[in-house]
Amino acid sequence: MSEIGHTREVDAPAQRILVTGGAGFIGSAVVRRLVRQGRQVLTYDKLTYAGNLASLAEVHNLPGHRFVQADICDGQAFRAALDAFRPDLVMHLAAESHVDRSIDGPGEFIRTNVLGTYTLLEEALRYWRALDAPERGRFRFHHISTDEVYGTLGDEGLFREDTPYQPNSPYSASKASSDHLVRAWFHTYGLPVVMSNCSNNYGPYHFPEKLIPLTILNALEGKPLPVYGRGENVRDWLYVDDHAAALELIATRGRLGESYNVGGNNERRNIDVVRTICAIMDRVVPDAKIGPREKLITFVTDRPGHDARYAIDATKLKDELGWVPTHDFESGIEATVRWYLDNAAWWEPLKARYDRQRIGLAP
Ligand code: NAD
Ligand code: DAU
Protein backbone atom coordinates (compact mmCIF):
# COMPACT_ATOMS: atom_id res chain seq x y z
CA MET A 1 0.00 0.00 0.00
CA SER A 2 1.22 3.53 -0.70
CA GLU A 3 2.03 5.40 2.45
CA ILE A 4 -0.10 8.47 3.13
CA GLY A 5 1.83 11.70 2.79
CA HIS A 6 4.65 9.96 0.91
CA THR A 7 6.30 12.33 -1.56
CA ARG A 8 7.16 10.59 -4.79
CA GLU A 9 9.75 12.32 -6.90
CA VAL A 10 8.56 12.49 -10.44
CA ASP A 11 11.51 11.70 -12.72
CA ALA A 12 9.78 12.80 -15.87
CA PRO A 13 6.51 14.67 -16.16
CA ALA A 14 3.53 12.52 -17.08
CA GLN A 15 3.40 12.26 -20.85
CA ARG A 16 0.29 10.20 -21.52
CA ILE A 17 -2.70 11.68 -19.78
CA LEU A 18 -6.28 10.44 -19.94
CA VAL A 19 -8.72 13.24 -19.04
CA THR A 20 -12.32 12.27 -18.24
CA GLY A 21 -14.77 15.12 -18.83
CA GLY A 22 -12.23 16.78 -21.13
CA ALA A 23 -14.97 18.29 -23.31
CA GLY A 24 -16.46 20.20 -20.36
CA PHE A 25 -15.65 23.64 -18.99
CA ILE A 26 -12.66 22.88 -16.74
CA GLY A 27 -11.67 19.65 -18.50
CA SER A 28 -11.27 21.44 -21.84
CA ALA A 29 -9.04 24.08 -20.21
CA VAL A 30 -6.89 21.24 -18.84
CA VAL A 31 -6.76 19.43 -22.19
CA ARG A 32 -5.88 22.60 -24.12
CA ARG A 33 -3.09 23.34 -21.63
CA LEU A 34 -1.61 19.83 -21.71
CA VAL A 35 -1.72 19.45 -25.50
CA ARG A 36 -0.08 22.88 -25.93
CA GLN A 37 2.73 21.61 -23.69
CA GLY A 38 3.34 18.69 -26.04
CA ARG A 39 1.80 15.93 -23.89
CA GLN A 40 -0.21 13.06 -25.35
CA VAL A 41 -3.80 13.46 -24.20
CA LEU A 42 -6.86 11.25 -24.52
CA THR A 43 -10.14 13.02 -23.83
CA TYR A 44 -12.71 10.51 -22.53
CA ASP A 45 -16.15 12.13 -22.51
CA LYS A 46 -19.75 11.06 -23.00
CA LEU A 47 -20.69 14.45 -24.50
CA THR A 48 -23.73 15.11 -22.33
CA TYR A 49 -25.54 18.45 -22.71
CA ALA A 50 -22.47 20.00 -20.98
CA GLY A 51 -19.84 18.38 -23.20
CA ASN A 52 -18.79 20.20 -26.32
CA LEU A 53 -16.12 19.34 -28.86
CA ALA A 54 -16.14 22.99 -29.96
CA SER A 55 -14.37 23.74 -26.67
CA LEU A 56 -11.50 21.59 -27.92
CA ALA A 57 -11.36 23.04 -31.45
CA GLU A 58 -7.88 24.48 -30.81
CA VAL A 59 -6.38 21.04 -30.13
CA HIS A 60 -8.88 18.50 -31.41
CA ASN A 61 -7.02 17.57 -34.59
CA LEU A 62 -3.48 17.93 -33.32
CA PRO A 63 -1.39 14.76 -33.24
CA GLY A 64 -1.09 14.98 -29.42
CA HIS A 65 -4.85 14.73 -28.92
CA ARG A 66 -7.24 11.80 -29.16
CA PHE A 67 -10.91 11.63 -28.29
CA VAL A 68 -13.21 8.81 -27.29
CA GLN A 69 -16.92 9.32 -26.71
CA ALA A 70 -17.86 7.04 -23.84
CA ASP A 71 -19.54 6.93 -20.44
CA ILE A 72 -17.53 6.67 -17.22
CA CYS A 73 -20.14 4.16 -16.01
CA ASP A 74 -19.15 1.86 -18.89
CA GLY A 75 -16.34 -0.21 -17.39
CA GLN A 76 -15.63 -2.08 -20.62
CA ALA A 77 -15.19 1.14 -22.58
CA PHE A 78 -12.91 2.60 -19.93
CA ARG A 79 -10.88 -0.62 -19.79
CA ALA A 80 -10.45 -0.53 -23.56
CA ALA A 81 -9.35 3.12 -23.40
CA LEU A 82 -6.77 2.36 -20.70
CA ASP A 83 -5.43 -0.68 -22.51
CA ALA A 84 -5.16 1.11 -25.85
CA PHE A 85 -3.84 4.47 -24.66
CA ARG A 86 -1.63 3.26 -21.75
CA PRO A 87 -1.78 6.47 -19.66
CA ASP A 88 0.63 7.25 -16.84
CA LEU A 89 -1.89 9.72 -15.42
CA VAL A 90 -5.69 9.77 -15.25
CA MET A 91 -7.30 13.12 -14.44
CA HIS A 92 -10.95 12.52 -13.54
CA LEU A 93 -13.17 15.54 -14.15
CA ALA A 94 -16.26 13.96 -15.72
CA ALA A 95 -19.30 14.71 -13.60
CA GLU A 96 -22.76 16.15 -13.50
CA SER A 97 -21.79 19.60 -12.21
CA HIS A 98 -24.85 21.86 -11.83
CA VAL A 99 -26.46 22.18 -8.39
CA ASP A 100 -29.84 23.31 -9.79
CA ARG A 101 -30.06 20.25 -12.04
CA SER A 102 -29.24 18.02 -9.07
CA ILE A 103 -32.26 19.43 -7.25
CA ASP A 104 -34.56 18.57 -10.18
CA GLY A 105 -33.02 15.18 -10.94
CA PRO A 106 -30.56 13.72 -8.43
CA GLY A 107 -30.50 10.26 -10.05
CA GLU A 108 -28.12 11.18 -12.85
CA PHE A 109 -25.75 12.72 -10.28
CA ILE A 110 -25.65 9.52 -8.25
CA ARG A 111 -25.12 7.47 -11.40
CA THR A 112 -22.35 9.53 -12.96
CA ASN A 113 -20.60 11.00 -9.94
CA VAL A 114 -20.80 8.00 -7.60
CA LEU A 115 -21.17 4.90 -9.78
CA GLY A 116 -19.04 6.42 -12.54
CA THR A 117 -16.19 7.17 -10.15
CA TYR A 118 -16.46 3.68 -8.65
CA THR A 119 -16.25 2.19 -12.15
CA LEU A 120 -13.13 4.20 -12.96
CA LEU A 121 -11.48 3.21 -9.68
CA GLU A 122 -12.08 -0.49 -10.31
CA GLU A 123 -10.70 -0.31 -13.84
CA ALA A 124 -7.77 1.94 -12.87
CA LEU A 125 -6.85 -0.54 -10.14
CA ARG A 126 -6.93 -3.47 -12.55
CA TYR A 127 -4.82 -1.52 -15.06
CA TRP A 128 -2.32 -0.28 -12.43
CA ARG A 129 -1.77 -3.76 -10.97
CA ALA A 130 -0.91 -5.16 -14.40
CA LEU A 131 1.73 -2.50 -15.16
CA ASP A 132 5.41 -3.36 -14.88
CA ALA A 133 7.22 -1.98 -11.82
CA PRO A 134 8.58 1.31 -13.29
CA GLU A 135 5.21 2.09 -14.90
CA ARG A 136 3.39 1.16 -11.71
CA GLY A 137 5.65 3.57 -9.81
CA ARG A 138 4.78 6.39 -12.20
CA PHE A 139 1.00 5.93 -12.45
CA ARG A 140 -1.40 8.33 -10.72
CA PHE A 141 -5.16 8.84 -10.53
CA HIS A 142 -6.18 12.44 -9.84
CA HIS A 143 -9.76 12.97 -8.66
CA ILE A 144 -11.07 16.51 -9.20
CA SER A 145 -13.71 17.67 -6.73
CA THR A 146 -15.41 20.69 -5.24
CA ASP A 147 -15.37 22.81 -2.10
CA GLU A 148 -19.13 22.22 -1.83
CA VAL A 149 -18.39 18.93 -0.03
CA TYR A 150 -17.56 21.00 3.07
CA GLY A 151 -21.06 22.48 3.25
CA THR A 152 -21.52 26.13 4.09
CA LEU A 153 -19.62 28.79 6.03
CA GLY A 154 -20.91 31.65 8.17
CA ASP A 155 -19.39 35.11 7.91
CA GLU A 156 -16.02 33.94 9.19
CA GLY A 157 -13.59 31.13 8.44
CA LEU A 158 -12.23 29.26 5.45
CA PHE A 159 -12.48 25.68 4.18
CA ARG A 160 -9.27 23.76 4.92
CA GLU A 161 -8.39 20.24 3.84
CA ASP A 162 -9.32 18.98 7.32
CA THR A 163 -12.72 20.73 7.43
CA PRO A 164 -15.36 18.02 8.05
CA TYR A 165 -17.53 17.06 5.10
CA GLN A 166 -21.11 18.34 5.34
CA PRO A 167 -22.57 18.36 1.82
CA ASN A 168 -25.99 20.00 1.48
CA SER A 169 -27.16 19.47 -2.11
CA PRO A 170 -27.61 16.26 -4.09
CA TYR A 171 -24.69 17.46 -6.25
CA SER A 172 -22.31 18.04 -3.35
CA ALA A 173 -23.43 14.82 -1.63
CA SER A 174 -22.62 12.87 -4.80
CA LYS A 175 -19.21 14.55 -5.07
CA ALA A 176 -18.51 13.88 -1.38
CA SER A 177 -19.37 10.21 -1.96
CA SER A 178 -16.94 10.05 -4.85
CA ASP A 179 -14.19 11.68 -2.75
CA HIS A 180 -14.70 9.03 -0.06
CA LEU A 181 -14.51 6.23 -2.62
CA VAL A 182 -11.23 7.58 -4.00
CA ARG A 183 -9.73 7.86 -0.52
CA ALA A 184 -10.85 4.30 0.26
CA TRP A 185 -9.24 2.90 -2.91
CA PHE A 186 -5.97 4.49 -1.78
CA HIS A 187 -6.10 3.19 1.78
CA THR A 188 -7.46 -0.26 1.02
CA TYR A 189 -5.92 -1.14 -2.33
CA GLY A 190 -2.97 1.25 -2.53
CA LEU A 191 -4.14 2.84 -5.77
CA PRO A 192 -1.89 5.93 -6.15
CA VAL A 193 -4.37 8.79 -5.96
CA VAL A 194 -4.30 12.54 -5.38
CA MET A 195 -7.40 14.67 -4.83
CA SER A 196 -8.33 18.33 -5.07
CA ASN A 197 -11.32 20.43 -4.01
CA CYS A 198 -11.83 23.74 -5.75
CA SER A 199 -14.04 26.79 -5.41
CA ASN A 200 -16.19 28.36 -8.18
CA ASN A 201 -14.47 28.62 -11.54
CA TYR A 202 -15.30 31.16 -14.24
CA GLY A 203 -13.89 32.00 -17.67
CA PRO A 204 -14.30 31.03 -21.35
CA TYR A 205 -16.29 27.95 -22.45
CA HIS A 206 -18.49 27.96 -19.31
CA PHE A 207 -21.92 26.44 -20.04
CA PRO A 208 -24.54 29.23 -19.77
CA GLU A 209 -26.54 27.59 -17.00
CA LYS A 210 -24.07 28.89 -14.38
CA LEU A 211 -24.36 32.36 -12.83
CA ILE A 212 -21.61 34.22 -14.69
CA PRO A 213 -22.18 33.12 -18.32
CA LEU A 214 -25.96 33.21 -17.83
CA THR A 215 -25.74 36.79 -16.58
CA ILE A 216 -23.47 37.87 -19.45
CA LEU A 217 -25.73 36.41 -22.14
CA ASN A 218 -28.99 37.65 -20.59
CA ALA A 219 -27.46 41.12 -20.15
CA LEU A 220 -26.40 41.12 -23.79
CA GLU A 221 -29.95 40.29 -24.88
CA GLY A 222 -31.63 42.67 -22.41
CA LYS A 223 -33.30 39.81 -20.51
CA PRO A 224 -33.91 39.67 -16.73
CA LEU A 225 -30.86 38.80 -14.61
CA PRO A 226 -32.13 36.31 -12.01
CA VAL A 227 -30.49 36.66 -8.60
CA TYR A 228 -31.50 33.99 -6.10
CA GLY A 229 -32.82 35.22 -2.74
CA ARG A 230 -31.23 38.53 -1.78
CA GLY A 231 -28.00 37.96 -3.70
CA GLU A 232 -25.98 37.88 -0.50
CA ASN A 233 -24.54 34.39 -0.91
CA VAL A 234 -20.77 34.48 -1.29
CA ARG A 235 -18.61 32.45 -3.67
CA ASP A 236 -14.80 32.42 -4.01
CA TRP A 237 -14.14 32.88 -7.75
CA LEU A 238 -11.16 31.39 -9.58
CA TYR A 239 -10.26 31.94 -13.22
CA VAL A 240 -10.41 28.56 -14.96
CA ASP A 241 -6.87 28.68 -16.37
CA ASP A 242 -5.51 29.19 -12.84
CA HIS A 243 -7.39 26.04 -11.81
CA ALA A 244 -5.96 24.14 -14.79
CA ALA A 245 -2.44 25.17 -13.73
CA ALA A 246 -3.13 24.02 -10.17
CA LEU A 247 -4.50 20.70 -11.39
CA GLU A 248 -1.39 20.02 -13.46
CA LEU A 249 0.80 20.63 -10.39
CA ILE A 250 -1.35 18.53 -8.06
CA ALA A 251 -1.63 15.68 -10.56
CA THR A 252 2.10 15.48 -11.18
CA ARG A 253 3.65 16.68 -7.90
CA GLY A 254 1.00 16.30 -5.19
CA ARG A 255 1.64 13.84 -2.38
CA LEU A 256 -0.14 10.52 -2.78
CA GLY A 257 -3.26 10.07 -0.71
CA GLU A 258 -3.48 13.80 -0.03
CA SER A 259 -6.09 16.32 -1.01
CA TYR A 260 -5.42 19.96 -1.90
CA ASN A 261 -7.83 22.88 -1.69
CA VAL A 262 -7.78 25.29 -4.63
CA GLY A 263 -9.31 28.77 -4.42
CA GLY A 264 -9.00 32.22 -5.85
CA ASN A 265 -9.03 34.33 -2.68
CA ASN A 266 -11.73 36.30 -4.52
CA GLU A 267 -14.83 36.28 -2.34
CA ARG A 268 -17.76 38.12 -3.85
CA ARG A 269 -21.48 38.36 -3.06
CA ASN A 270 -23.58 37.21 -6.02
CA ILE A 271 -25.25 40.61 -6.31
CA ASP A 272 -21.83 42.26 -6.61
CA VAL A 273 -20.75 39.79 -9.31
CA VAL A 274 -23.89 40.57 -11.31
CA ARG A 275 -23.46 44.35 -10.85
CA THR A 276 -19.82 44.11 -11.97
CA ILE A 277 -20.86 42.31 -15.14
CA CYS A 278 -23.54 44.95 -15.78
CA ALA A 279 -20.99 47.75 -15.43
CA ILE A 280 -18.50 46.10 -17.79
CA MET A 281 -21.17 45.47 -20.39
CA ASP A 282 -22.58 49.00 -20.19
CA ARG A 283 -19.05 50.22 -20.95
CA VAL A 284 -18.04 47.67 -23.60
CA VAL A 285 -21.38 47.11 -25.37
CA PRO A 286 -23.69 49.99 -24.48
CA ASP A 287 -27.18 49.53 -25.87
CA ALA A 288 -29.61 52.47 -25.83
CA LYS A 289 -32.64 50.16 -26.12
CA ILE A 290 -31.58 48.16 -23.04
CA GLY A 291 -30.25 51.08 -20.97
CA PRO A 292 -28.28 50.51 -17.75
CA ARG A 293 -28.13 46.73 -17.26
CA GLU A 294 -28.54 46.92 -13.47
CA LYS A 295 -32.22 47.60 -14.15
CA LEU A 296 -32.46 44.03 -15.46
CA ILE A 297 -31.56 42.54 -12.05
CA THR A 298 -34.52 40.51 -10.75
CA PHE A 299 -34.56 38.93 -7.30
CA VAL A 300 -36.17 35.50 -7.60
CA THR A 301 -37.12 32.63 -5.29
CA ASP A 302 -34.05 31.30 -3.55
CA ARG A 303 -32.37 27.99 -4.42
CA PRO A 304 -33.60 25.29 -1.97
CA GLY A 305 -30.86 24.55 0.56
CA HIS A 306 -28.72 27.40 -0.78
CA ASP A 307 -25.25 27.41 0.85
CA ALA A 308 -24.48 30.86 2.26
CA ARG A 309 -20.75 31.19 1.75
CA TYR A 310 -17.79 29.29 0.31
CA ALA A 311 -14.18 30.42 0.83
CA ILE A 312 -10.99 28.44 0.46
CA ASP A 313 -7.73 28.34 2.36
CA ALA A 314 -5.23 27.30 -0.35
CA THR A 315 -2.15 27.59 1.88
CA LYS A 316 -1.23 23.92 1.56
CA LEU A 317 -1.12 24.13 -2.23
CA LYS A 318 0.94 27.31 -2.09
CA ASP A 319 3.39 26.03 0.52
CA GLU A 320 3.90 22.55 -0.91
CA LEU A 321 3.64 23.14 -4.64
CA GLY A 322 4.17 26.89 -5.04
CA TRP A 323 0.82 27.56 -6.73
CA VAL A 324 -0.69 31.03 -6.69
CA PRO A 325 -3.48 32.30 -8.96
CA THR A 326 -2.39 34.78 -11.63
CA HIS A 327 -5.76 36.42 -12.39
CA ASP A 328 -7.55 38.79 -10.06
CA PHE A 329 -11.33 38.92 -10.33
CA GLU A 330 -11.45 42.33 -12.05
CA SER A 331 -9.17 41.37 -14.96
CA GLY A 332 -10.59 37.84 -15.16
CA ILE A 333 -14.23 38.92 -15.35
CA GLU A 334 -13.50 41.57 -17.99
CA ALA A 335 -11.62 38.98 -20.09
CA THR A 336 -14.56 36.59 -19.64
CA VAL A 337 -17.16 39.14 -20.75
CA ARG A 338 -15.07 40.00 -23.80
CA TRP A 339 -14.65 36.29 -24.65
CA TYR A 340 -18.44 35.76 -24.71
CA LEU A 341 -18.93 38.89 -26.84
CA ASP A 342 -16.35 37.58 -29.34
CA ASN A 343 -17.50 33.96 -29.38
CA ALA A 344 -21.22 33.86 -30.17
CA ALA A 345 -20.46 30.96 -32.53
CA TRP A 346 -19.58 28.89 -29.45
CA TRP A 347 -22.63 29.72 -27.30
CA GLU A 348 -25.42 30.31 -29.87
CA PRO A 349 -25.88 26.58 -30.63
CA LEU A 350 -26.14 25.82 -26.90
CA LYS A 351 -29.55 27.52 -26.72
CA ALA A 352 -31.00 24.37 -28.27
CA ARG A 353 -29.75 22.42 -25.23
CA TYR A 354 -30.73 24.94 -22.56
CA ASP A 355 -32.41 28.30 -23.05
CA ARG A 356 -31.62 29.86 -19.68
CA GLN A 357 -35.03 29.18 -18.11
CA ARG A 358 -35.18 28.84 -14.30
CA ILE A 359 -34.47 25.33 -13.02
CA GLY A 360 -33.81 23.81 -9.60
CA LEU A 361 -36.98 24.82 -7.76
CA ALA A 362 -37.88 21.74 -5.77
CA PRO A 363 -41.63 20.87 -5.94
P1 NAD B 1 -19.03 20.50 -16.90
O1 NAD B 1 -20.43 20.17 -16.57
O2 NAD B 1 -18.73 21.73 -17.70
O3 NAD B 1 -18.38 19.28 -17.72
C1 NAD B 1 -18.56 17.95 -17.35
C2 NAD B 1 -18.05 17.08 -18.49
O4 NAD B 1 -18.20 15.71 -18.09
C3 NAD B 1 -18.83 17.26 -19.80
O5 NAD B 1 -17.94 17.33 -20.90
C4 NAD B 1 -19.70 16.01 -19.87
O6 NAD B 1 -19.99 15.60 -21.21
C5 NAD B 1 -18.83 14.99 -19.15
N1 NAD B 1 -19.62 13.91 -18.56
C6 NAD B 1 -20.72 14.04 -17.77
N2 NAD B 1 -21.19 12.82 -17.45
C7 NAD B 1 -20.36 11.91 -18.01
C8 NAD B 1 -20.31 10.50 -18.03
N3 NAD B 1 -21.24 9.75 -17.40
N4 NAD B 1 -19.31 9.89 -18.70
C9 NAD B 1 -18.37 10.62 -19.36
N5 NAD B 1 -18.39 11.96 -19.41
C10 NAD B 1 -19.37 12.61 -18.73
O7 NAD B 1 -18.24 20.48 -15.54
P2 NAD B 1 -17.02 21.41 -15.04
O8 NAD B 1 -17.58 22.66 -14.48
O9 NAD B 1 -16.00 21.46 -16.09
O10 NAD B 1 -16.50 20.54 -13.80
C11 NAD B 1 -15.51 19.53 -14.01
C12 NAD B 1 -15.21 18.87 -12.68
O11 NAD B 1 -14.73 19.84 -11.77
C13 NAD B 1 -16.43 18.23 -12.02
O12 NAD B 1 -16.00 17.03 -11.41
C14 NAD B 1 -16.87 19.24 -10.98
O13 NAD B 1 -17.49 18.61 -9.90
C15 NAD B 1 -15.53 19.84 -10.59
N6 NAD B 1 -15.57 21.23 -10.12
C16 NAD B 1 -16.19 22.21 -10.84
C17 NAD B 1 -16.13 23.53 -10.40
C18 NAD B 1 -16.78 24.66 -11.17
O14 NAD B 1 -16.82 25.79 -10.68
N7 NAD B 1 -17.26 24.45 -12.39
C19 NAD B 1 -15.48 23.84 -9.21
C20 NAD B 1 -14.87 22.81 -8.49
C21 NAD B 1 -14.91 21.51 -8.96
O1 DAU C 1 -18.00 25.83 -5.44
C1 DAU C 1 -17.72 25.04 -6.55
C2 DAU C 1 -18.97 24.77 -7.34
O2 DAU C 1 -19.30 25.99 -8.02
C3 DAU C 1 -18.82 23.64 -8.34
O3 DAU C 1 -18.57 22.43 -7.66
C4 DAU C 1 -20.06 23.50 -9.22
O4 DAU C 1 -19.85 22.50 -10.20
C5 DAU C 1 -20.33 24.83 -9.89
O5 DAU C 1 -21.51 24.77 -10.65
C6 DAU C 1 -20.43 25.95 -8.85
O6 DAU C 1 -21.62 25.78 -8.04
P1 DAU C 1 -22.56 27.02 -7.65
O7 DAU C 1 -23.89 26.49 -7.31
O8 DAU C 1 -21.88 27.91 -6.67
O9 DAU C 1 -22.59 27.80 -9.08
P2 DAU C 1 -23.77 28.55 -9.86
O10 DAU C 1 -23.12 29.30 -10.98
O11 DAU C 1 -24.90 27.65 -10.18
O12 DAU C 1 -24.27 29.61 -8.78
C7 DAU C 1 -23.40 30.57 -8.24
C8 DAU C 1 -24.18 31.38 -7.22
O13 DAU C 1 -25.12 32.19 -7.93
C9 DAU C 1 -24.99 30.53 -6.27
O14 DAU C 1 -25.00 31.17 -5.00
C10 DAU C 1 -26.41 30.53 -6.87
C11 DAU C 1 -26.48 31.88 -7.55
N1 DAU C 1 -27.27 31.99 -8.77
C12 DAU C 1 -27.08 31.05 -9.74
C13 DAU C 1 -27.78 31.14 -10.93
C14 DAU C 1 -27.60 30.08 -12.02
C15 DAU C 1 -28.13 33.06 -8.95
O15 DAU C 1 -28.27 33.92 -8.07
N2 DAU C 1 -28.80 33.14 -10.13
C16 DAU C 1 -28.68 32.22 -11.14
O16 DAU C 1 -29.36 32.35 -12.19
Side-chain angles (χ1 to χ4, degrees):
M1 188 189 97
S2 314
E3 188 190 332
I4 196 163
H6 165 66
T7 308
R8 190 170 41 180
E9 284 307 317
V10 181
D11 302 319
Q15 292 301 343
R16 301 184 67 77
I17 306 172
L18 188 157
V19 181
T20 74
F25 167 46
I26 302 170
S28 68
V30 170
V31 171
R32 291 191 302 272
R33 177 183 179 89
L34 296 173
V35 175
R36 270 188 223 127
Q37 293 171 341
R39 323 274 189 125
Q40 298 291 312
V41 178
L42 173 66
T43 297
Y44 184 104
D45 198 296
K46 184 181 175 183
L47 298 182
T48 67
Y49 79 95
N52 194 346
L53 285 182
S55 306
L56 293 172
E58 179 193 322
V59 297
H60 192 49
N61 292 317
L62 295 181
H65 184 249
R66 275 163 251 197
F67 172 73
V68 60
Q69 181 171 5
D71 193 325
I72 58 167
C73 300
D74 182 345
Q76 275 188 354
F78 191 64
R79 179 179 296 202
L82 289 172
D83 290 343
F85 183 64
R86 316 285 308 162
D88 45 22
L89 171 63
V90 172
M91 297 178 76
H92 172 35
L93 293 100
E96 287 293 334
S97 69
H98 192 34
V99 173
D100 289 336
R101 284 181 195 263
S102 82
I103 295 167
D104 288 340
E108 198 52 34
F109 286 71
I110 305 305
R111 197 187 83 88
T112 285
N113 299 357
V114 184
L115 283 177
T117 301
Y118 160 72
T119 305
L120 298 191
L121 288 168
E122 282 292 77
E123 291 304 327
L125 183 61
R126 183 204 61 81
Y127 169 76
W128 174 68
R129 282 177 168 163
L131 292 173
D132 63 29
E135 290 173 327
R136 205 161 50 243
R138 257 199 315 272
F139 181 78
R140 285 166 162 238
F141 183 99
H142 178 189
H143 176 62
I144 284 82
S145 191
T146 171
D147 62 354
E148 298 199 13
V149 298
Y150 299 121
T152 186
L153 291 165
D155 291 344
E156 302 291 321
L158 300 171
F159 293 136
R160 293 162 39 94
E161 287 79 2
D162 56 5
T163 301
Y165 275 34
Q166 222 163 24
N168 289 320
S169 72
Y171 163 69
S172 54
S174 70
K175 291 296 292 187
S177 308
S178 67
D179 292 10
H180 292 318
L181 291 174
V182 173
R183 195 179 312 273
W185 260 245
F186 171 76
H187 279 282
T188 304
Y189 306 111
L191 185 69
V193 308
V194 282
M195 294 161 275
S196 54
N197 296 79
C198 187
S199 62
N200 287 62
N201 284 217
Y202 70 102
Y205 302 104
H206 204 181
F207 192 84
E209 62 189 349
K210 309 282 167 59
L211 175 69
I212 286 182
L214 184 139
T215 300
I216 295 170
L217 298 188
N218 279 8
L220 185 64
E221 295 171 0
K223 292 185 174 158
L225 308 178
V227 172
Y228 298 173
R230 297 162 58 84
E232 285 171 354
N233 304 64
V234 171
R235 298 292 182 263
D236 176 0
W237 294 97
L238 178 67
Y239 195 72
V240 65
D241 291 344
D242 281 328
H243 189 195
L247 292 178
E248 183 196 339
L249 271 178
I250 295 163
T252 55
R253 304 253 167 219
R255 285 184 293 141
L256 294 181
E258 293 282 319
S259 71
Y260 294 83
N261 279 355
V262 191
N265 201 17
N266 272 311
E267 285 184 57
R268 295 284 185 287
R269 295 186 312 161
N270 293 336
I271 186 63
D272 296 328
V273 170
V274 173
R275 285 192 181 127
T276 301
I277 294 170
C278 290
I280 295 170
M281 295 197 56
D282 287 350
R283 174 165 47 80
V284 178
V285 270
D287 186 321
K289 279 206 291 273
I290 295 173
R293 260 91 175 192
E294 273 207 26
K295 286 204 304 205
L296 301 171
I297 291 174
T298 311
F299 293 97
V300 297
T301 308
D302 208 350
R303 172 185 279 174
H306 200 173
D307 286 335
R309 175 173 165 257
Y310 305 145
I312 283 277
D313 179 348
T315 308
K316 178 175 173 182
L317 180 56
K318 179 168 177 277
D319 288 353
E320 287 191 16
L321 302 176
W323 177 85
V324 281
T326 59
H327 295 81
D328 62 32
F329 189 70
E330 281 61 40
S331 63
I333 194 72
E334 171 120 10
T336 303
V337 168
R338 289 181 185 275
W339 186 87
Y340 279 89
L341 297 178
D342 292 343
N343 288 278
W346 181 83
W347 53 261
E348 277 285 359
L350 301 180
K351 285 183 181 173
R353 300 184 191 180
Y354 172 64
D355 204 13
R356 309 202 288 277
Q357 69 277 22
R358 178 74 197 269
I359 53 176
L361 285 171

